[in-house]
Amino acid sequence: MFTIFKKKKKIYEYKGVSIGETDFAVVDTELTGLNEIKDTIISIGSLKMKGKSIKMGEVFYRTVKPESFIKKDSIMVHEITPAELESCPDIGPILREYLTFVKDLIIVGHCISIDIAFLKKAIYKHLKQTYDPIAIDIFAIYNWLIQKDLLPEEFIYNKSLKDIAYSLGIEAKQLHDALSDAFVTAQVFQRLITLLGEIKIYTVDDLLNIGNPNIKLDLNLAKKQTFQF
Amino acid sequence: MVKIIEDTIEFLKSVPPFEFLDTEVVNSVAVKTSLEYYPKGTHILIQDGSPSEFLYIIKKGGIKVYRKVNGEEITIDFRSEGDSFGFVSLISGDKSRANVVAIDDTICYLIPKETMLNLMNKYPEVRDFYLKSFMNIYLDKKYAEETSKRTLIGSVDKILFTTTVEEIASKNVISIPEHTSIKESARVMCENGISSLVIINNEGIPVGIITDKDLRRKVVAAARDVNEPVKNIMSFPIIKVDAKDYCFEAIVKMLKYNIHHLLVIRNGQVGGIITNHDIMMLQGFSPVTIVRDIEMQQSIEGIIHTSKQITNLVGNLLQQGAKASNITRIMTEINDRIVRKIIQFAEREFGPPPVPYCWIALGSEGRKEQTFKTDQDNALIYADPMAEQEDSVRKYFLEFTNYVKESLLKCGFPPCPGDIMASNPKWCQPFKAWKKYFSQWIYTPKGESINLSNIFFDFRAIYGDFSLEESLRDYLLSIVKDQRIFLGYLANLAVRNKPPLGFFKTFVVEKSGEHKDKLNLKIKGIAPIVDIIRLFSLEKGIRETSTLERIEALKNKHGVVRDYADEIIYAFEFLMLLRMKHQYEQVIQGIMPDNFINPEKLSNLEKKLLKDTFQLISKLQDILIERYKLMII
């Protein structure tokens, strides 16, 4: 209850605040798999933005010793071998570093609720803290723009970060390490904010509504019809 | 590990001025940059808007810089990948002078003002890069690079282009009055252990020089009376060189006058003597030595041998960071001497000419812009013979010119594919026939004759009776000046080849064939400049034939040249140097030199300069079109 109350208050603080004046932390994690119970974090990548400006020097990237067995297919995707991971540091201190890096900034990611779920679980387990950041899902914004006819209809079939990036003309050659993915995500976010600007959406509270990761897409659609821009 | 920063560093390391900095420094810049995205049509900077807080470097896309003056839009520049903008406003803190609009979806790296100011304080190369014109700094930087390379690898650290004459000139100069006896002069030389004396007249002005060689040849060998005044055996005129000049200048003068001693002048006073021997000591070889070799040859075979040294000579000069115009000056002197020597052999072979004649060089040879051995482009003017003599004179010169052609071929100068050579009866003509050619070309310009006039109007006397060449030029300049129609045709030719300005995929290159994806430097860059400057020279009756000399002569006479002279000179030097380096590499690899360069292989800075150069050419072409607008087809 407490965290929800706190979060509501924070969202309220963003009312009328300009996107261009706001700092964001784009986050991506690499996991051993997608099973929330069995799988764990392999690496965390994050970089900061101010508005749509990506800060090339303000980056965070750590690989950790995984707490669970790595499935074969995720090894291939991440190109990290179990032996390499064995020599990496434990996740506890890394999570602390992560929290210091992102502070209380709005978190931006692709299907960010997955990343947040894993981070939340790990932070609770290792640091005994509740992690419940304000977050924006670029996938939600992307779909919202398609529904609004601001992006072509056929884009609805793009689900992966790579496809989304490609559809917006972003080169995504180095996918699948957490920082490179975060960088591509940041560039997608950059484009999406620009498109929102074209229909005069400039404030963070509007952005939080459109990119809300907690509301399912259909719900989101129902909600947006009540918006009068 | 942090790949995205590495990418930023790598990108910065490929663009000037960051490419001149250490990786460590570039790294410190990279972490301060941010990456911005501007969709097509975004105004990034606004004219009279707030000053720029960043230096913007284009990573992808392109921008247009333009100003609005009295409601009219004036495009200043297009910039693309690797280019930057926002600098002037950043440095001055003044409001932005122009609008900058993205003409495609554009990604820029933004370097904050403070970071840039720090860089400029710490690294003069960064400051210089932005504050001086791009061209200027490039030539200097390249020059410095070449020089330092040379110093590192070679043991010779003193070189032609960095050593001033006074550094190596012998300062021990003794002058004696011109009426001193030969015997007394020789005694002075012996006593002081010197090999030359400067001879001065009654007013104390140097008028000649005597050397050991003069004593050997003109006194001992000729059994001359040693009581004669030294004046009778001195070499003159005396050629001077300034103490502050680079040794290179001294070499050119020695080549030009075929002498081995120059008088060094310091602050208007005689300050020393510099000899070919001094130059030899300086760097182990001297173009003057090659020329002396040529002069000494008594057969074609000997010349063939000597002319083989020319490639090494060019390589050497390139390594020393010589400017293109300096290299062509030396090449011209050497090539001219080879031609002269061969003509002398021809005279020996066929006997003295029945009437005076003048051998003329055409095209690039006429403009003194040859680099490696190029096609023979030449012709011959002979004095109008009497009617009954005509046939025999023609016969003499045809045999004569054929001999020269074959000999030049043996020395490595291939025949002209268009047969524009003195051995072609059409181009071996009496003076009156030449006048007729020129007047026909000018008064009734059509197709082929316009191309010919472009080649022939760069004619330059090489050997024989130079007055024939001078008279022909007088005639040409007198009839061409006000022929607006003919000049209009030349203007058409000069704007025919538009330089590639496409800035997205950098350069327009050959689409197919052997030279696919390559850029013809001659047709797209060098020729348009040469053609434009030739046209201006004809407009103003300029006698010079080399492009750079024409520009110098036009500076005070032609409005366009006055405004753009320095830029044109830099552009021309740059293009010539690019071509020369390219051709040198080919010659070294045993390939026939050509004009096709691969833009991909150029450094970013070179690309940038090439683009600047092309923009300049395009601007000049626009001016030409404006001036000749009624006649441009």
Side-chain angles (χ1 to χ4, degrees), chain A residues 63-67 85-95 126:
Chain A
T63 307
V64 300
K65 194 190 289 179
E67 301 165 278
L85 288 173
E86 274 308 306
S87 62
C88 289
D90 290 332
I91 190 164
I94 299 299
L95 288 169
H126 294 278

Side-chain angles (χ1 to χ4, degrees), chain B residues 35-88:
Chain B
L35 189 78
E36 262 285 8
Y37 166 74
Y38 304 102
K40 185 175 174 176
T42 312
H43 273 83
I44 304 166
L45 293 174
I46 310 279
Q47 183 176 341
D48 299 326
S50 40
S52 168
E53 287 299 316
F54 303 96
L55 176 74
Y56 298 75
I57 305 172
I58 302 167
K59 184 186 186 216
K60 215 180 154 200
I63 59 103
K64 179 171 80 171
V65 186
Y66 72 97
R67 282 178 64 85
K68 271 203 168 153
V69 179
N70 302 326
E72 204 182 324
E73 188 180 309
I74 302 163
T75 300
I76 296 169
D77 199 8
F78 288 102
R79 294 189 193 156
S80 65
E81 290 156 35
D83 292 341
S84 54
F85 60 92
F87 179 77
V88 176

